[in-house]
Amino acid sequence: MLKLFTVTPARLRRLKFFKTRHHANKWYIEAMIALIDCNSFFVSCEQVAHPELKNKPVVVFSNNNGCIISRSNEAKALGVKMGEAVFKYKHLFETGKVIGCSPSFSLYQKISKQVVQALRGFSPWVEPYSIDESFVRFGGTDQASVLGPGMRQAVLTQTGIPVSIGFGATKTLAKLASDKAKAMPGNIMDLGSYALSRVLNTIPVEEVWGIGYRTTRWLHRHGIETAGAFRDADPHWIRKKMGIGGGRIQRELNGQLCFPVGISVQMPSFYAQEAAQKSLLHSRSFPERITSIPGLQTALAENIKSACAKLRRANLCASEMGFFIKTSRFDSHYDSDAWTYRFPQATNNENEVLRVMKSKLPTLFKSGYRYAKSGVYFNGLIPDSAVQLSFFVNPREEKERALLGTLDHIRQRWGRQSIIRGSSLTSV
DNA sequence: TCTGGGGTCCTAGGACCC
DNA sequence: TCTGGGGTCCTAGGACCC
C-alpha cells in the first residue's frame, strides 16, 4: 500500500483504477507489483539459440572461462554451484557430463529487451531492473491469478524464455515472492494472498533484498534471524543503526511502498537511454599474471579502448576517469591500487585517456607483485552534445574525433581486430 | 583568554545488487 | 596451474562559506 497523499473525493474518482483503503486515519492506495525473473537466464538464452541444448546439463562460463555464472536445472542437480571456479568441475566437463558455453552477452541483451517488450503488453509501468529481471506495476484491482499465467505464457511464446513471477504490495515483497516462486508449481507466487506474517517468519533475514553479508552478521548478533523478526524490530533503532536504506527495507516488508516502480535502484547499462547512466566500468582478469609495467600498460590500453568505445556508442562523455590494477584475492598478497583524475573538459577520446594512464601507471606499479586484473572507470557521464567546448579548442581535437568515429565504424562492420593502431603493437 | 551555528559541496569508502 | 564483470546508493568527514 502506497501512502500518496490525502485523498479527496475528487481525487478518489480519478483513481478508480486503484483499490483504496482506510486505515489508522490514513488513506492508502493499494498497488500490486510483480517481479518477473528469467529462469537460468544465460543458459535459457543459449538453449533458445541452440535448441539441441534443451533439457541437458548446461552451464555458462564467465569471461576467460573462469567461473560458472549460469546453470540449467540439470546442471544444478549434478551439484554444480553458482560462481564456482570452472577447474573445480573439470571432471564433469571432460567426461561430457556437463556442457559448458562461453558467454555471448550481446545475445543475452537482445533477448532481455524482447522479454521487456513482451511485458509491456500487460502494463505501461515496466521497469527493467537487471538483465534478467523486471518489475511491473498493476492497479489494486488486477488479479495476480490471471496476470501471472498470462505474462508467463506471453514471454515464453514471444522469446522462448521461461520465467518465475512473484507478486507483492512492494518491490521487496515481490522479490521475496519471486524467490519462492521458483519452487512453486507454475513458477508463480502471490505473497499478497498468503498469510504474510507467517510466511515472513519462515524466511531467513539474509534472503531479503538489500540485506547482505555484513548486515546479516550484525542482525544475527542482535538475535534477528528471520524476515519477520526484522520487520517487527523497533523502527527507530533500525533507522539509527542501518540508515535510511535499512528503514526503507523494513517499511517495505510492512507493505508500505518506498521504492516506486519506474524509479530504478539499478538499471542495466544497455537500458541507459531510459535512465541516465552515471558511471561506466570496463575491467578484465588476465589469462596469466602480469609483473611488468609494459604488460600492464597493454592491458589497460585494451580496457581504455573498450570503455571509450562504449562511451561513444552511448553518445556520452566522462568528466572523470580512474583506473586500477590488482592482484588476485586468492593469491597470498592481495593488493589493489586505483587513481582517479578529473578531465579539464569531459571527453570520450581514448588518446587523452591513454596519455593520462601512461603517465600515472609507473607510480601505481609495485615491482614483485603478480597482477591479475586491471580496469578503467568513468564517472560524471554527460551527453556529448552537452560538453562545453573549451575556448581554446585544440585543432587536433576535431581531427581525432573524426578519426575515432571512423575507427568505430570499421570495427563494428569488420570486427574489433580488423584495424588497430601501429603504436599498440610496440607496447607489448 | 573566552571562540557559534548553521549551510553546501565534494570525495572516499562501504555495502549491496545482478 | 586455473576463481567474472558491471553497476547504484548511502554515509561520514573535510573544506569552505556566511
Side-chain angles (χ1 to χ4, degrees), chain A residues 18 57 86-87 103 105 172 174 189 221 250 305 316 341 422:
Chain A
F18 297 101
V86 170
F87 69 83
F105 288 104
T172 305
M189 169 94 185
R221 280 204 297 279
Q250 191 186 28
K305 280 183 237 175
L316 292 170
Y341 171 77

Side-chain angles (χ1 to χ4, degrees), chain A residues 2 43 78 208 212 225 232 268 283 307 366 407 428:
Chain A
L2 165 61
V43 162
L78 287 173
V208 175
E225 307 269 347
D232 298 335
S283 68
K366 292 185 197 133
L407 289 178
V428 187

Side-chain angles (χ1 to χ4, degrees), chain A residues 335-356:
Chain A
D335 191 73
S336 171
D337 258 310
W339 185 71
T340 61
Y341 171 77
R342 185 166 281 274
F343 296 113
Q345 180 183 314
T347 183
N348 55 23
N349 181 334
E350 62 202 43
N351 296 320
E352 192 174 346
V353 182
L354 282 167
R355 278 193 290 273
V356 174

Side-chain angles (χ1 to χ4, degrees), chain A residues 33 69 75 82-83 86 97 105 149-150 158-159 180 210-211 223 226 230 234 344 361 363 386 391-392 406 412 427:
Chain A
I33 294 176
I69 55 175
M82 182 68 173
V86 170
K97 290 201 176 103
F105 288 104
Q158 291 174 43
T159 70
K180 295 285 151 202
I211 306 286
T226 66
F230 179 69
D234 175 15
L361 176 60
T363 66
F391 197 72
F392 305 98
T406 310
Q412 211 159 31
S427 58

Side-chain angles (χ1 to χ4, degrees), chain A residues 107-343:
Chain A
L107 171 71
Y108 310 153
Q109 292 183 359
K110 192 181 110 196
I111 296 182
S112 172
K113 288 184 178 176
Q114 292 169 358
V115 171
V116 171
Q117 204 48 45
L119 295 176
R120 291 199 196 281
F122 289 84
S123 165
W125 302 294
V126 178
E127 177 196 332
Y129 170 66
S130 73
I131 195 166
D132 68 339
E133 292 166 290
S134 286
F135 288 105
V136 182
R137 195 185 100 198
F138 296 102
T141 53
D142 288 315
Q143 296 293 314
S145 54
V146 178
L147 288 166
M151 285 194 284
R152 204 170 178 280
Q153 192 53 49
V155 174
L156 192 60
T157 4
Q158 291 174 43
T159 70
I161 303 293
V163 297
S164 301
I165 305 182
F167 290 93
T170 64
K171 279 184 172 175
T172 305
L173 288 169
K175 195 92 168 69
L176 276 181
S178 84
D179 289 343
K180 295 285 151 202
K182 297 200 173 72
M184 302 289 283
N187 283 167
I188 292 168
M189 169 94 185
D190 180 6
L191 257 190
S193 71
Y194 268 66
L196 203 50
S197 56
R198 218 169 341 123
V199 176
L200 290 189
N201 285 336
T202 68
I203 297 179
V205 71
E206 61 265 34
E207 289 180 22
V208 175
W209 187 39
I211 306 286
Y213 174 74
R214 304 297 293 236
T215 310
T216 300
R217 277 201 326 189
W218 179 80
L219 286 171
H220 282 179
R221 280 204 297 279
H222 289 86
I224 294 171
E225 307 269 347
T226 66
F230 179 69
R231 173 201 54 194
D232 298 335
D234 175 15
H236 295 102
W237 180 70
I238 292 290
R239 171 66 185 82
K240 193 169 151 217
K241 298 289 185 181
M242 287 182 62
I244 181 172
R248 284 181 182 151
I249 294 169
Q250 191 186 28
R251 295 212 303 277
E252 283 243 322
L253 286 178
N254 271 308
Q256 192 181 335
L257 202 140
C258 300
F259 307 122
V261 171
I263 297 175
S264 185
V265 177
Q266 175 189 332
M267 179 86 70
S269 57
F270 53 96
Y271 290 110
Q273 65 277 14
E274 303 186 28
Q277 189 179 5
K278 300 183 176 164
S279 68
L280 184 154
L281 180 140
H282 186 91
S283 68
R284 283 288 178 273
S285 297
F286 310 141
E288 287 164 13
R289 299 284 186 265
I290 294 180
T291 54
S292 73
I293 291 183
L296 287 173
Q297 194 166 303
T298 307
L300 279 163
E302 279 306 314
N303 295 150
I304 287 171
K305 280 183 237 175
S306 303
C308 287
K310 276 193 210 169
L311 279 180
R312 292 193 296 269
R313 266 201 302 278
N315 297 318
L316 292 170
C317 281
S319 320
E320 189 180 274
M321 70 161 287
F323 68 93
F324 63 83
I325 49 177
K326 47 174 84 176
T327 61
S328 167
R329 59 185 198 284
F330 299 99
D331 287 355
S332 48
H333 294 295
Y334 178 64
D335 191 73
S336 171
D337 258 310
W339 185 71
T340 61
Y341 171 77
R342 185 166 281 274
F343 296 113

